Every structure is written in structure tokens, then in C-alpha cells.
């Protein structure tokens, strides 16, 4: 399984070079997803000497496995943000994500982006109540949503909130184009360049190839902060794995939909090279916690067939995204004791606009420009009850898995990150770690961090 529609329809291109010598740079970015690429673009535009290191090929991580909705409608979020952060900050979150959507629109080519209304829908009384509550927040924040019953889907829908004229992208083609723009602005991008060690005091990175990179400033866009940073952000992120399937569609939808009820469903279409695809996602679970993951694909396939009457499945894939305990991503300096190390992560499955918004924040911090959102997105913000609760929950899980991983001998190999026992994922044929979401291929090689070393099989 795990064969993304986007990765299989990427623009043909030459690979970026591997690092084959020691390098020095102003800013080094680890990770070639949309976060890393957006940072490379903005910083190169500001005249910085930037390099980006990607361990595999750019965009093959969460970005190339997402649903590709570039929108500021991030599920039910504004009522929660309003309550938790107040009016100014909730509006700020909308504004910077909206600016990111507009940025995307301003640079994208025809094959990369299409306008679409973003639509939240309910199918129950409870769901409709949640929508009404969310709509109140939209009104209070001045977000131009419309409450009503706006759907072209062949399923029963009770109510909707529509945010008009948002965008949907082909995340890989869009990212490839942005990477090319970054290179044209002077950034150097490297692929197959795996960072295996960070000496933050010496500002030195070691690569798998044996070469070293000396940096003045470092940005971690590796999706999940990699191993050397354990103990910092690592206990504060939880990771969910989600499943997506696509089928040959017969017509393009004008909207992109997300259900507020259970089962969670996210729906869009995509037109790629004259073909129309229908995408359905929404099945998910805490990363690394399930073996029989085929069941999630099968539920989606059944819905596609029975509810949408489409029978030719084309792709099925899965991905995961970390989330912070308080809904806002981390973008900024990790700690005042290391003011030259920046982090960008925790997008809660809304990282396409948030990647761009976060890259804007980090770039402004690096070039010394004021940015209204730098406090809100700061990784060292504290003080929320939910934060504490989530951190305790995650730590509890880590300790349990860590202990059982060390005491019992079963067939599953031990994760090379922090010693938790991995679980076999039948659907994707990978070893998944339930502690921090590392994933390994069948042969033990690292598919997704934070682990950097292969399994000992
Ligand atoms: C199922 C699903 C659907 C989603 N749909 C949407 C959506 O519709 N809209 C939306 O806004 N968001 C969506 N998201 C979220 C979005 O895809 C992510 O938040 C975003 O793509 C994260 O980008 P990134 O650059 O941080 O991570 P990634 O794209 O994962 O990039 C990180 C890169 O770092 C590299 N890396 C890791 N370790 C190292 C190392 N040691 N050395 C060098 N390189 C390294 C990896 O190989 C990877 O390429 C979705 C997420 C999921 C899981």
C-alpha cells in the first residue's frame, strides 16, 4: 500500500545533488517538505546564503502524502482558539494562514492550484450545534464564512459553513515549483543527504556520507524534531496517522469538504493531466498503535463505492503529522539558550498554509523584521492546562512503551530512537513506533524520524 497520488504524478525532474564535500552556510535547513522549502525560498529572497538538506527526495514526507487543501479553514478550530487565546490571537492565526493561502495563489501555476470553497459539514444535531458555535467565532473574528446547507455531495448533510474561494493544490507539483523558485533566488538544495548528528554548540552537522555542514543558524523542518533534540520538544508532540484513498472520479467538485461528526471524513477532487480523481480520507489512529491498518483503507474504499458510487480505485496511502497540545504550531527559536536554532512543526494536519506562515515567522526572526505572530507560534510558550495534560499523556505512553520494549522479548524490533518496541503495520508493511511515530521499512531502514538509525533486525 502507501502509494500517494501526488508522488506518482509529480513533475518529472532531475534529482538535486547529494552533499559531496564539507559545506559552510548562513542558514541550514533540515528537511525538504513544504516547511523547509518555504523557509529556503523566503530566506534566499532576503539574500541569505541558505542550504536545505533532505535525507530522501524532497516532498516525499507528509507534504507529498497530504490531502492538498491550501486553506485557512482548519476543521473546527476558531471557536477553540477564541476561547483559549482570545480574539486578537485567534484572528491573527486566521490572518497569517489566509496570507499563506494568498501567497500560494500568487506563485502557483495552473497544474498546481485550483480555487475551491472550503466547507465544514454536519450530519447530526450535535454536529450542527458545533457548526453554529464555530460560526459565532467566525462572526466575532470577522472571518467571511457562510452558515447554510451548501453541498453537492450525494450524502445526507444537515448544515455547512462555507469559506469561499480557498484553494486546493497538487502538493508535490506546488512544492517542486517553490523549490525551483528558491534555487533561482540562490538557495542550494541537496537530496539523499541525511543528517545523523547535530553538535549545536559547535554549530556543526554530520551527514551519513561523512561530510559536515557548518552553519550560523539552523532550522529544523524535519517534520518531527530529530533524535539529537530529544528531551526538548519531543515530549510535547503527539502524532496521528491518517489514511487517504483516491478513485477515478467523473466530475470535479467545486468544494472541498470536511465532516465535523464521526466518522471523520475529508473529501476533495483533483484534476491531474485531464483526469479527475476523487479523494477520501479521515480514518486515523495514534501513530504506531495499530497493526491491522488495512481495515482503515477498506473502510474508505467501502465509502467510496457505496456512498459515491465510484469503483476504480487508483491509490491508497497514509501519513502522519504531529500536533502541539494547544492547536498552534511551533515556529521559532527553540530555547533562549540556543537562539540560533529554530523549529517548525506541529501542524495538526493543517501544515500546508501553516508551513508557509511559519516560514514567514522564522525568516522575519532571522532577518530581524517584526512579525506579529512570532509570540503566538513561539515554541517555548507555556501556561495552558491542556498543554500539561497532553504532555503527561504522551510521557506516560513513552514510559510504558519504553519499559515494555526493554523488558519483554517479542518479534518486533526495538526502535533506534528511544528504545520503544515497534509494531508491524500490515497495511503499509512498515515497523511503526508508538512512542514518537518513527517508521521503518520492511528491511529496517528509516522511513520517517525522529529515529535516524536503522532497526537491528
Ligand atoms: C493524512 C494527512 C493529510 C493532510 N492534509 C492536509 C491538507 O489537506 N492541508 C493542510 O494544510 N495540511 C495537511 N496535512 C498536513 C501537512 O501535510 C503537513 O503538516 C506538512 O506537509 C508538513 O510539512 P513538513 O515540511 O513539516 O514535513 P514533511 O513534508 O514530512 O517534510 C519533512 C522532511 O524532512 C526530511 N527529514 C527528516 N529527517 C531528516 C534528516 N535527519 N536529515 C535530512 N532530512 C530529514 C524528511 O525526509 C521529509 O522530507 C495533512 C497531513 C496528513 C498526515
Amino acid at each position: 500500500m502507501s502509494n500517494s497520488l501526488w508522488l506518482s504524478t509529480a513533475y518529472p525532474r532531475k534529482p538535486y545533488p547529494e552533499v559531496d564535500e564539507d559545506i559552510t552556510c548562513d542558514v541550514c535547513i533540515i528537511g525538504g517538505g513544504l516547511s523547509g522549502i518555504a523557509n529556503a525560498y523566503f530566506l534566499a529572497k532576503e539574500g541569505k546564503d541558505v542550504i536545505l538538506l533532505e535525507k530522501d527526495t524532497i516532498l516525499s514526507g507528509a507534504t507529498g502524502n497530504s490531502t492538498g487543501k491550501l486553506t485557512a479553514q482548519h476543521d473546527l478550530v476558531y471557536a477553540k482558539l477564541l476561547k483559549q487565546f482570545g480574539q486578537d490571537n485567534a484572528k491573527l492565526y486566521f490572518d497569517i494562514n489566509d496570507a499563506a493561502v494568498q501567497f500560494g495563489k500568487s506563485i502557483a501555476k495552473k497544474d498546481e492550484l485550483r480555487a475551491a470553497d472550503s466547507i465544514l459539514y454536519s450530519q447530526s444535531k450535535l454536529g450542527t450545534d458545533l457548526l453554529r458555535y464555530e460560526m459565532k467565532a467566525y462572526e466575532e473574528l470577522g472571518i467571511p464564512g457562510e452558515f447554510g446547507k451548501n453541498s453537492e455531495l450525494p450524502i445526507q448533510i444537515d448544515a455547512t459553513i462555507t469559506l469561499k474561494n480557498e484553494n486546493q493544490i497538487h502538493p508535490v507539483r506546488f512544492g517542486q515549483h517553490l523549490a525551483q523558485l528558491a534555487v533561482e533566488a540562490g538557495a542550494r538544495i541537496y537530496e539523499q543527504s541525511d543528517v545523523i548528528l547535530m553538535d549545536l554548540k559547535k554549530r556543526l552537522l554530520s551527514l551519513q556520507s561523512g561530510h559536515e555542514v557548518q552553519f550560523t543558524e539552523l532550522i529544523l523542518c524535519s517534520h518531527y524534531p530529530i533524535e539529537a533534540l530529544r528531551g526538548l520538544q519531543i515530549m510535547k508532540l503527539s502524532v496521528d496517522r491518517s489514511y487517504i484513498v483516491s478513485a477515478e472520479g467523473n466530475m470535479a467538485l467545486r468544494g472541498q469538504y470536511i465532516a465535523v461528526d464521526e466518522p471523520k471524513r475529508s473529501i476533495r477532487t483533483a484534476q491531474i493531466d485531464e483526469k479527475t480523481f476523487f479523494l477520501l480520507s479521515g480514518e486515523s489512529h495514534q501513530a504506531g498503535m495499530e497493526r491491522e491498518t488495512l481495515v482503515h483503507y477498506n473502510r474508505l474504499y467501502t465509502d467510496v463505492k457505496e456512498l459515491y458510487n465510484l469503483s476504480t480505485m487508483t491509490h491508497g496511502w497514509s501519513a502522519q503529522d504531529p500536533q502541539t497540545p494547544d492547536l498552534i504550531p511551533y515556529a521559532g527559536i527553540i530555547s533562549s539558550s540556543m537562539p540560533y536554532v529554530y523549529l517548525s512543526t506541529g501542524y495538526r494536519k493543517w501544515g500546508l498554509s501553516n508551513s508557509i506562515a511559519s516560514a514567514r515567522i522564522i525568516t522575519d526572526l532571522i532577518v530581524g523584521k517584526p512579525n506579529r505572530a512570532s509570540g503566538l507560534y513561539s515554541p517555548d510558550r507555556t501556561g495552558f492546562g491542556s498543554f500539561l495534560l497532553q504532555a503527561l499523556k504522551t510521557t506516560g505512553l513513552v514510559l510504558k512503551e519504553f519499559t515494555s520494549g526493554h523488558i519483554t522479548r517479542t518479534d518486533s524490533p526495538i526502535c533506534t530512537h528511544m528504545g520503544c518496541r515497534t509494531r508491524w503495520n500490515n497495511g503499509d508493511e512498515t515497523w511503526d513506533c508508538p512512542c514518537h511515530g518513527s517508521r521503518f521499512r520492511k528491511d529496517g531502514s528509516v522511513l520517517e524520524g525522529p529515529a535516524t538509525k536503522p532497526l537491528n533486525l
Side-chain angles (χ1 to χ4, degrees):
M1 198 66 65
S2 227
N3 164 26
S4 143
L5 169 66
W6 315 119
L7 287 165
S8 22
T9 54
Y11 289 138
R13 68 170 175 95
K14 283 198 196 127
Y16 288 102
E18 292 175 34
V19 173
D20 60 0
E21 59 181 348
D22 292 352
I23 300 180
T24 301
C25 61
D26 287 348
V27 186
C28 177
I29 298 164
I30 305 180
L34 194 57
S35 282
I37 293 171
N39 271 288
Y41 172 78
F42 288 137
L43 283 161
K45 282 288 215 189
E46 293 283 352
K48 287 282 175 186
D49 168 32
V50 187
I51 72 159
L52 182 153
L53 304 172
E54 164 55 50
K55 76 178 165 71
D56 293 319
T57 52
I58 61 164
L59 299 159
S60 57
T63 307
N65 287 286
S66 68
T67 322
K69 297 177 178 175
L70 183 64
T71 173
Q73 188 186 68
H74 294 174
D75 204 342
L76 290 172
V77 75
Y78 290 105
K80 292 177 198 152
L81 291 180
L82 188 59
K83 193 167 167 211
Q84 200 166 336
F85 292 92
Q87 189 169 12
D88 289 351
N89 280 327
K91 180 67 166 56
L92 185 55
Y93 180 92
F94 174 78
D95 286 347
I96 65 169
N97 279 285
D98 185 46
V101 173
Q102 301 314 321
F103 166 79
K105 208 183 211 168
S106 73
I107 60 139
K109 291 199 265 188
K110 188 173 132 291
D111 288 345
E112 299 158 7
L113 178 142
R114 185 173 166 272
D117 296 345
S118 289
I119 301 172
L120 288 167
Y121 69 88
S122 67
Q123 296 183 294
S124 71
K125 179 170 177 323
L126 176 64
T128 304
D129 289 347
L130 289 172
L131 283 185
R132 284 190 204 285
Y133 190 55
E134 182 77 355
M135 190 60 213
K136 266 196 189 156
Y138 274 47
E139 282 161 4
E140 207 169 317
L141 299 172
I143 300 173
E146 287 173 14
F147 187 88
K149 199 167 168 180
N150 172 26
S151 167
E152 66 212 294
L153 300 177
I155 53 174
Q156 164 253 322
I157 281 182
D158 291 353
T160 53
I161 295 178
T162 305
L163 195 58
K164 282 204 168 141
N165 227 359
E166 296 290 287
N167 294 294
Q168 47 191 213
I169 56 174
H170 185 305
V172 175
R173 290 183 179 183
F174 177 84
Q176 287 177 302
H177 179 193
L178 188 58
Q180 193 48 40
L181 294 178
V183 169
E184 284 164 20
R188 287 173 283 164
I189 295 182
Y190 296 93
E191 292 182 310
Q192 308 300 336
S193 299
D194 192 353
V195 178
I196 55 163
L197 213 66
M198 303 193 279
D199 186 332
L200 296 178
K201 283 216 172 103
K202 289 189 185 155
R203 304 191 191 202
L204 196 66
L205 304 178
S206 307
L207 307 186
Q208 183 84 50
S209 60
H211 295 295
E212 291 183 332
V213 175
Q214 184 82 55
F215 59 85
T216 307
E217 284 167 295
L218 176 69
I219 312 177
L220 298 173
C221 295
S222 50
H223 195 219
Y224 202 96
I226 57 180
E227 185 176 36
L229 282 182
R230 70 183 181 207
L232 290 177
Q233 257 47 50
I234 218 132
M235 293 300 186
K236 300 175 191 164
L237 295 169
S238 63
V239 189
D240 253 13
R241 182 145 208 96
S242 306
Y243 298 80
I244 307 180
V245 299
S246 65
E248 276 182 19
N250 38 30
M251 55 178 265
L253 296 171
R254 82 187 141 64
Q256 47 190 1
Y257 297 80
I258 188 153
V260 299
D261 297 288
E262 293 297 332
K264 196 83 196 155
R265 290 291 180 260
S266 170
I267 299 157
R268 65 163 282 191
T269 49
Q271 281 177 297
I272 306 174
D273 304 333
E274 317 298 320
K275 274 193 174 170
T276 304
F277 295 88
F278 176 87
L279 277 75
L280 184 71
S281 64
E283 288 285 312
S284 65
H285 58 80
Q286 194 174 344
M289 294 303 278
E290 290 189 19
R291 269 176 233 267
E292 297 306 330
T293 56
L294 269 177
V295 70
H296 298 289
Y297 288 111
N298 290 338
R299 278 191 203 131
L300 293 173
Y301 288 141
T302 305
D303 273 12
V304 171
K305 277 187 196 143
E306 292 181 0
L307 301 178
Y308 299 95
N309 217 7
L310 298 170
S311 52
T312 314
M313 302 300 159
T314 61
H315 299 78
W317 68 100
S318 73
Q320 59 197 40
D321 211 26
Q323 93 172 49
T324 66
D326 63 8
L327 304 175
I328 306 267
Y330 294 139
I333 291 167
I334 287 185
S335 128
S336 53
S337 63
M338 282 185 288
Y340 48 87
V341 183
Y342 302 80
L343 172 69
S344 196
T345 191
Y347 301 129
R348 196 179 55 89
K349 293 186 210 149
W350 294 107
L352 299 182
S353 61
N354 263 314
S355 278
I356 295 169
S358 298
R360 198 60 271 175
I361 292 171
I362 292 175
T363 300
D364 287 346
L365 286 170
I366 289 179
V367 301
K369 284 189 187 165
N371 186 306
R372 298 188 296 140
S374 59
L376 183 64
Y377 276 55
S378 168
D380 65 2
R381 64 179 179 266
T382 53
F384 301 103
S386 57
F387 176 101
L388 192 62
L389 192 72
Q390 183 69 16
L392 284 173
K393 234 168 85 181
T394 314
T395 313
L397 171 69
V398 170
L399 293 178
K400 180 171 151 274
E401 293 293 332
F402 187 76
T403 316
S404 64
H406 273 79
I407 292 173
T408 44
R409 296 277 324 155
T410 68
D411 285 336
S412 303
I414 298 296
C415 177
T416 53
H417 172 225
M418 287 178 78
C420 304
R421 188 168 290 287
T422 60
R423 292 179 187 176
W424 179 246
N425 172 338
N426 245 339
D428 294 333
E429 303 202 314
T430 51
W431 297 105
D432 297 350
C433 178
C435 293
H436 298 104
S438 293
R439 302 180 71 225
F440 303 84
R441 295 184 187 89
K442 225 192 256 191
D443 64 2
S445 59
V446 179
L447 183 62
E448 270 178 66
T452 56
K453 297 188 194 81
L455 292 174
N456 187 3
L457 290 177

